[in-house]
Amino acid sequence: TTPTMKYIVSEKRIWRELVQAHFSATEVQFVLNKKPELKENKNCRKLYLELRKQFGVKPQYSELIMLCKNCRCVFWSSYGHPCMARHENDAHDTPLPLTPTTFLSFF
């Protein structure tokens, strides 16, 4: 490994933030009750690895691509989409969120 990667992996804050970002307090408590030595050592890296083994990592995206059901337009959720295909009498259809994997499967 490179010295930079070695430094990043040894950084405690990164592991603590990974635990907080990917796992609920209930999941953390479940693992800590199951393996109390993790709580005593306060080793977030080992805690993260145990949580990942127990629950897996849920994919999280800061921004989603959406698909309009009416006009089949693809747009970023933060920008919204004023659909031109929607008629006044039509019910407002909720756009479909597209994960990166789903989006790439279109090509």
Side-chain angles (χ1 to χ4, degrees):
T1 62
T2 65
T4 304
M5 284 304 293
K6 186 176 181 179
Y7 173 76
I8 291 171
V9 169
S10 67
E11 179 68 33
K12 293 178 182 180
R13 186 191 64 165
I14 290 174
W15 295 106
R16 184 178 65 245
E17 289 179 9
L18 281 170
V19 167
Q20 292 171 345
H22 289 282
F23 303 102
S24 69
T26 308
E27 291 170 332
V28 171
Q29 195 57 50
F30 176 81
V31 168
L32 290 176
N33 289 341
K34 191 175 174 182
K35 296 202 170 195
E37 67 273 7
L38 292 174
K39 188 174 187 175
E40 294 167 6
N41 295 341
K42 296 183 180 181
N43 187 331
C44 288
R45 181 178 182 271
K46 287 183 180 179
L47 176 60
Y48 174 80
L49 294 173
E50 191 61 37
L51 283 160
R52 195 175 89 180
K53 185 168 57 170
Q54 182 74 35
F55 298 106
V57 177
K58 300 164 196 78
Q60 294 179 341
Y61 309 106
S62 59
E63 181 79 50
L64 278 178
I65 296 174
M66 306 296 277
L67 173 65
C68 177
K69 293 180 187 177
N70 294 318
C71 67
R72 303 289 186 221
C73 180
V74 177
F75 60 95
W76 291 107
S77 61
S78 63
Y79 289 107
H81 169 62
C83 184
M84 299 301 201
R86 188 182 317 130
H87 299 289
E88 291 180 22
N89 298 336
D90 288 347
H92 176 65
D93 286 333
T94 306
L96 298 171
L98 300 175
T99 64
T101 305
T102 305
F103 178 72
L104 290 174
S105 72
F106 293 155
F107 299 101

